[in-house]
Amino acid sequence: MNKIEKLFGNPDFIILDGGFGTMLQQSGAEVGKVPEVLNITRPEIVQDIHRKYIEAGADVIYTCSFGINDYKIEGCGYTVEELTSAAVKNAAEAAVGTDVKIALDIGPIGRLVEPNGNLTFEEAYEIFRRQIVAGKGTDLIVIETMTDLYEMRAALLAAKENSERPVICTMSFEQNRRTFTGTSIPSMALTLEGLGADAIGINCSLGPAEFLPLIQELSQWTELPIVAKPNAGLPDPKTGKYLVGATEFADYAEHLADCGVRLAGGCCGTDPDYIRQLKLRLSSAASNRSEVEIPPAVCTPESIVLLDRPRVIGERINPTGKKKLKAAIAEGNLDYVLDMALQEETEGAEILDVNAGVPGVNEKEVIVNIIKKLQGNVSAPLQIDSGNPEVLEAALRLYCGKAIVNSVNGEEKSMAAILPIVKKYGASVIALTLDEDGIPKTVEKRLEIARKIMNRALSLGIPKKDIYVDCLTLTVSAEQDNASNTLEAIRRVKSELGLKTVLGVSNISFGLPQRPLINQNFLQMALTCGLDLAIINPAAPGMVAAIDVYKLIMGIDRDARDFIDKYKDTEAVSAAPVPEKKTVSAVNQKEGTLSYFISNGLEGPCRELIEKELENRDPLDIVNNELIPILDETGKRFETGKIFIPQLILAATTAQAAFEVIKKRLAAGGGQSVSKGKIIVATVKGDVHDIGKNIVKVILENYGYDIIDLGKDVDPKVIVDRVVRDHVHLVGLSALMTTTLGNMEETIRQIRQAAPGCKIMTGGAVVTKDYSESIGADYYVADAMASAAAAKDVLG
């Protein structure tokens, strides 16, 4: 039984409370920089809000602790423990004499986690752990309003490892069905359910009408109870009032129920009347969730790979027999590893096998560094390749998404050590059909081992769809009968056990001539027997093409669309495979360009190329005719949804490495400065949300502007004084809360008075183009790239 069901029984619906911040604003209390301080200074206000939601029919109230973390409460005079315990006490006192459950409310830290920012995963985990330990005495834990799956991962692990309470996880999505950082709904569901969340869903961001397609998609990707806590639409920036009333809000409740929502409440703009109407509407509704079969898949935050057809696992990030890769790993040259991964993706790998087993190195430390490097730069999910449980756990802990573990075998020692780790981190696992006696010579014995591993995995709660069987093959030159046994074992694992299959195909040809010929034909035979995952070198002649042809002939590639799109411009080739040629292809030439290095986060090669270019080119020529156009093109890809915030920041950060080389050359030669001018950025007074402002800062710095970051909660006078003192011609103002928009308007008024020639750009979640114009701003910037366009317009 799910922990949610154990806590609440089995009602059709569990009613959550509404917007706490909305109620604080309505109370007239002086909220200040850290609203949660009211838990200590004005506990009666906090308790009164809780009671109003209880009276409205809420089954769960969230503690007033959303922003209680070291970063957000800095300088407030209280500790995390003091504020959290006070928040729990206030909720408990309000709920006395009722059956209402109390949820410890945890929100985002307010800083970007690596690779998007400088907060490490371990630091994020510790911040959340401290909140969870301090929040003892609550019935459950809610982690909400997250946009970064990596940050959510840190919070969920902290909750599961430091508490036995049920954990609800909700993220905030935009209308493009992605979070601010690009996380997709399927990726969220696969990752969080795998990590042990007890209920998952969506909160904030949008109104109930816009929630419908999001919840519908989520319902196809999870069997967990689904949570919906939408906003009351969007706020009117001028009045601060939200556009969806309580009755209209409740009208959508039955539609959400039809999508399988079990836990429903409200977020920004909702008050007790919304919850009362919601409760009333759902009292006559029924949860109509239909059975859903979640397909086998692995994922990164932005993309998933469904195992609905044969897939390619790239095998080259394995140092066995590779002198250059061994040397790169030993030297810590992660750019070499990354470049290899990027090449494999280009060549057709859909999943990347990663092995760091080099003699003399700390395998655990190395694989952690590789995982961090790759997951910030490649789009393919990873397969963690190690037989060492400590290495596997360290890698899986930091991997953001759903990975494959390679591998477990039929030995008791292996199953006991590895399968619990697979379960804990929600990974898929490759089951090798070998045991203490080695690789069996018979098909029956291989099936017996596969069945043993499957049953052990199922007993631990690992879903059947996450078990992939490797029937193993040895070189046909030494074990000729083994090849046919492997093929027959694949067929029977599929038909008798109903499991997915995987195979290291190139093992078949060791020690023989014409290896590509053998590999390609063996792969085709394995595919017809039911092979799902082929571990191959995607650059080897004919291998990826063999899979493409198989999908075409078997009708997987409907109407030959993929095949035609991929091969329509290629010249006719002989059916016979040709030996590999060590020539530089057009693709590889492209891979050596500055654009390639910046787009893919290869800082080392980027610096080297800039150093070389500076031998014959003027520094500012490189800036204006190379770096800026590359960043512009990256911006266009971001605006068209081809890349997301992590990739945008990655490119900007790598470009910064190039700028640093150029700045040093200019400084050494006494040449012209690379700076294009000064820009002030600040979050307005009363607003403590600064992630958007920080991203703008990163982008503008990498266009060559000097950024004066005044931080968050900045008084208008501080901004005006800096504008006048430093003769600044462009100011960027950010706000996330409707209550602080008045301070944005006041800041603009004071800047206009003191420096009429200074231009102003405004942005933030609650700012609209119309409102920006109405308060006298010169530019409305919807995202970081829009701020770059405004900067170029003003400063060139």
Side-chain angles (χ1 to χ4, degrees), residues 31 146 328 441 451 577 749 751 772:
V31 174
M146 291 287 184
K441 294 188 179 298
R451 186 177 285 107
R749 188 189 67 78
I751 292 173
S772 181

Side-chain angles (χ1 to χ4, degrees), residues 17-24 49 53 229 265-272 275:
D17 65 8
F20 205 95
T22 299
M23 293 296 288
L24 281 179
I49 293 172
Y53 278 123
K229 221 171 185 254
C267 204
C268 301
T270 64
D271 59 26
I275 302 307

Side-chain angles (χ1 to χ4, degrees), residues 680-744:
I680 287 174
V681 294
T683 302
V684 299
K685 183 174 176 58
D687 206 317
V688 295
H689 302 87
D690 62 352
I691 283 184
K693 181 263 297 175
N694 292 340
I695 292 172
V696 166
K697 174 187 174 183
V698 170
I699 300 302
L700 292 178
E701 281 178 337
N702 291 289
Y703 268 92
Y705 301 105
D706 284 338
I707 307 303
I708 302 170
D709 184 1
L710 298 182
K712 54 190 176 182
D713 188 29
V714 186
D715 189 275
K717 187 176 186 305
V718 172
I719 298 172
V720 171
D721 289 347
R722 198 64 185 268
V723 168
V724 174
R725 190 186 85 184
D726 289 356
H727 306 288
V728 175
H729 298 291
L730 180 61
V731 173
L733 301 176
S734 174
L736 188 68
M737 301 164 61
T738 55
T739 53
T740 61
L741 289 176
N743 294 331
M744 178 178 277

Side-chain angles (χ1 to χ4, degrees), residues 17 30 61 64 68-69 168 270 403 445 535 640 725 760 788:
D17 65 8
E30 183 62 40
I61 54 173
C64 179
I68 300 178
N69 64 63
I168 293 174
T270 64
K445 182 63 176 176
I535 303 176
T640 56
R725 190 186 85 184
I760 301 165

Side-chain angles (χ1 to χ4, degrees), residues 582-596:
K582 294 186 178 180
T583 57
V584 180
S585 67
V587 171
N588 287 332
Q589 289 175 352
K590 184 178 180 181
E591 288 172 354
T593 64
L594 187 60
S595 176
Y596 176 81

Side-chain angles (χ1 to χ4, degrees), residues 216-447:
Q216 285 170 342
E217 182 175 7
L218 177 59
S219 70
Q220 300 304 305
W221 285 98
T222 184
E223 295 175 341
L224 293 175
I226 294 177
V227 186
K229 221 171 185 254
N231 286 349
L234 295 174
D236 182 332
K238 293 182 180 179
T239 65
K241 292 183 178 180
Y242 284 76
L243 303 179
V244 177
T247 303
E248 185 182 355
F249 184 88
D251 284 341
Y252 288 98
E254 292 184 58
H255 299 298
L256 293 174
D258 288 337
C259 301
V261 168
R262 291 285 306 284
L263 297 91
C267 204
C268 301
T270 64
D271 59 26
D273 192 35
Y274 286 75
I275 302 307
R276 187 175 294 107
Q277 295 288 343
L278 180 67
K279 176 95 170 183
L280 179 64
R281 193 61 55 88
L282 289 179
S283 65
S284 58
S287 181
N288 297 317
R289 187 172 188 178
S290 56
E291 291 291 325
V292 59
E293 184 175 341
I294 313 301
V298 290
C299 71
T300 66
E302 292 102 8
S303 62
I304 65 169
V305 174
L306 286 172
L307 271 63
D308 60 344
R309 61 196 62 199
R311 298 291 185 180
V312 175
I313 300 177
E315 68 179 6
R316 293 217 303 273
I317 308 177
N318 186 325
T320 304
K322 301 182 181 75
K323 291 182 179 179
K324 288 185 178 180
L325 181 57
K326 277 185 180 177
I329 289 175
E331 296 164 4
N333 182 2
L334 297 184
D335 279 337
Y336 182 90
V337 180
L338 172 59
D339 193 39
M340 181 174 285
L342 293 167
Q343 288 180 30
E344 284 199 284
E345 277 196 301
T346 300
E347 293 156 356
E350 297 160 289
I351 300 166
L352 301 177
D353 186 85
V354 178
N355 184 299
V358 174
V361 305
N362 185 326
E363 186 184 358
K364 182 167 77 170
E365 181 180 307
V366 169
I367 204 161
V368 162
N369 290 334
I370 291 176
I371 295 297
K372 287 184 175 182
K373 184 73 171 180
L374 294 189
Q375 71 180 9
N377 296 267
V378 300
S379 60
L382 301 184
Q383 176 171 289
I384 315 301
D385 187 353
S386 176
N388 186 326
E390 288 187 11
V391 172
L392 288 173
E393 175 140 29
L396 289 173
R397 188 173 188 81
L398 292 171
Y399 180 70
C400 189
K402 181 173 181 175
I404 302 174
V405 167
N406 186 13
S407 55
V408 66
N409 63 55
E411 294 183 49
E412 176 59 33
K413 179 182 176 181
S414 176
M415 292 189 292
I418 291 173
L419 290 178
I421 297 172
V422 171
K423 169 60 179 173
K424 177 179 178 179
Y425 294 102
S428 298
V429 63
I430 292 177
L432 304 182
T433 53
L434 62 83
D435 58 14
E436 294 87 347
D437 299 324
I439 300 175
K441 294 188 179 298
T442 66
V443 174
E444 287 72 18
K445 182 63 176 176
R446 294 188 198 188
L447 255 69

